[in-house]
Amino acid sequence: MNWTTPDDLRAQVRKLWNRGMILAGLATGEQLFPRRLVLRGPASKELAERFGEVRDWIARLDAGAGHYRIVWRRVNHRILGGNDMPAEVWIDSMDQALALIGRQREASCFGNLLNLTGEREPDLTPWLAKRPLRALELAGDWERLLAIVAWLKDHPRPGIYLRQVDITGVHSKFIEDRRAVLAELLDLALPPETIDYAASGLSGFCRRYGFCDKPLRLRFRLLDPALALLATSTDQDLTLTHDTFARLALPVRHVFITENEINFLAFPHLSGSMVIFGAGYGFEMLAVADWLKRCTLHYWGDIDTHGFAILDQLRNHFPSAQSFLMDRDTLLAHRQQWGREPQPVTRDLHRLTAEEAALYDVLRRNILVERLRLEQERIGFKYVMRALERLQKK
């Protein structure tokens, strides 16, 4: 039996709620009601063959009519005679709709949010209309969110850290945890000239709205004692902000980049050389150091598809960068150390040399072993030393 039940009617209204349409109407003034609901009833043949069931169906439908209105029509049947049958079902008002699905309390809460927003930050009312259900989730935080918006309007591009924001009842952790929603609100409320639209995402929140951001740091070791920056006999293992690093202009010829910390720490002394610990897929902070472009860069990553993808990205900033120990001979010499790459890259990489591209194809097409990987830390250290000796002789 496919006849509409009171539960079916309730589900239709609940769908409107779940799509945010009922609450959005409160914010925009758009009238959803009166609204006709879908009603499926018995056909003429069923009326005769299942009259008892039809009568029960009508009774159940009529019992719920306190939350909706039934429009009746007279049906004249050749056997049963005249009978009143439900022809249409209407929700006449928002109050009826809310009562039918039991959402009066939530709607009242949303109304309070609308009133509060209209008093304090009316520019945010369109956001409430667009994301009413999200607004309900944030109801307990809403006053503090409005306070943050108001503070930034009074202190555009403040040039301080989030930790220094002084708003009663608002901790910097609260701001950090709600950056996503705050970005949506601030983009609506702040003057366009106070927003850096080039900065986006959670990581770009501070820059976008003029807060100080935690500085990026870069760790490196000077492998040539003659280049020591500190007058100590200790290892020159240093960490600097990327701005400071960019201004060093060190007289080095070779710069090695490795993703493994132990390899970074074990790298031997080399004349005119330094080693940088890891950059992964982000080389932007190296690119601002113009003096690096006078050096020969050597990237040492895993022999797997991600290793070559990172090398490819490095060459976007340093086209002449060379790979180090990422060749077929090194791979075959360490067959017993082979492992498995969890999620290989398969896209084309356009900045690899012919030799690198050939090995990359071997890896991404599983020609030797499926998902083959040789992690850089599994390469024998004597093998590394011999490679560095050959490099020094060039």
Side-chain angles (χ1 to χ4, degrees), residues 22-232:
I22 295 178
L23 292 180
L26 287 174
T28 63
E30 180 182 355
Q31 297 297 319
L32 283 180
F33 307 101
R35 190 179 191 91
R36 183 179 175 179
L37 301 182
V38 175
L39 178 67
R40 297 180 303 273
S44 179
K45 183 179 179 181
E46 292 175 311
L47 187 61
E49 295 177 351
R50 305 168 66 178
F51 185 71
E53 293 176 65
V54 171
R55 187 173 52 194
D56 291 342
W57 170 71
I58 293 173
R60 289 196 301 273
L61 209 60
D62 195 30
H67 299 317
Y68 48 80
R69 174 171 56 89
I70 300 175
V71 176
W72 302 86
R73 67 183 173 92
R74 190 74 174 172
V75 175
N76 293 310
H77 195 276
R78 63 184 180 83
I79 298 175
L80 301 173
N83 292 275
D84 289 331
M85 295 288 294
E88 300 174 0
V89 172
W90 288 78
I91 299 290
D92 287 325
S93 67
M94 182 175 294
D95 288 341
Q96 276 191 336
L98 295 172
L100 181 61
I101 60 175
R103 295 290 187 176
Q104 300 97 320
R105 183 178 59 83
E106 290 91 337
S108 176
C109 177
F110 185 75
N112 292 335
L113 295 179
L114 273 175
N115 292 334
L116 184 65
T117 305
E119 293 170 3
R120 298 190 184 179
E121 297 296 337
D123 288 341
L124 300 183
T125 300
W127 187 91
L128 293 174
K130 183 179 179 181
R131 305 196 61 187
L133 298 181
R134 177 60 174 146
L136 278 182
E137 294 173 359
L138 295 166
D141 296 334
W142 195 248
E143 285 199 60
R144 284 180 288 178
L145 291 171
L146 293 181
I148 295 167
V149 171
W151 187 90
L152 262 172
K153 288 173 72 174
D154 292 338
H155 305 82
R157 304 201 66 79
I160 61 175
Y161 289 99
L162 292 179
R163 179 68 181 83
Q164 296 172 276
V165 175
D166 190 7
I167 304 173
T168 302
V170 176
H171 190 274
S172 59
K173 185 67 175 175
F174 177 87
I175 301 176
E176 291 168 1
D177 290 344
R178 290 155 184 80
R179 284 172 295 172
V181 66
L182 275 170
E184 296 176 17
L185 301 178
L186 292 170
D187 280 358
L188 284 174
L190 296 182
E193 63 271 16
T194 68
I195 301 172
D196 180 356
Y197 290 99
S200 60
L202 295 183
S203 61
F205 180 87
C206 289
R207 201 179 103 201
R208 188 176 183 87
Y209 304 109
F211 290 99
C212 293
D213 213 348
K214 184 168 64 175
L216 297 173
R217 297 183 181 276
L218 191 142
R219 183 180 176 189
F220 64 96
R221 287 180 59 229
L222 291 170
L223 304 175
D224 186 344
L227 301 177
L229 293 178
L230 302 176
T232 70

Side-chain angles (χ1 to χ4, degrees), residues 149 199 277 318 340:
V149 171
F277 175 44
F318 299 93
R340 183 179 176 87

Side-chain angles (χ1 to χ4, degrees), residues 343-357:
Q343 295 180 313
V345 174
T346 58
R347 67 180 184 273
D348 292 339
L349 303 177
H350 302 290
R351 303 183 187 96
L352 302 182
T353 65
E355 182 182 354
E356 293 162 353

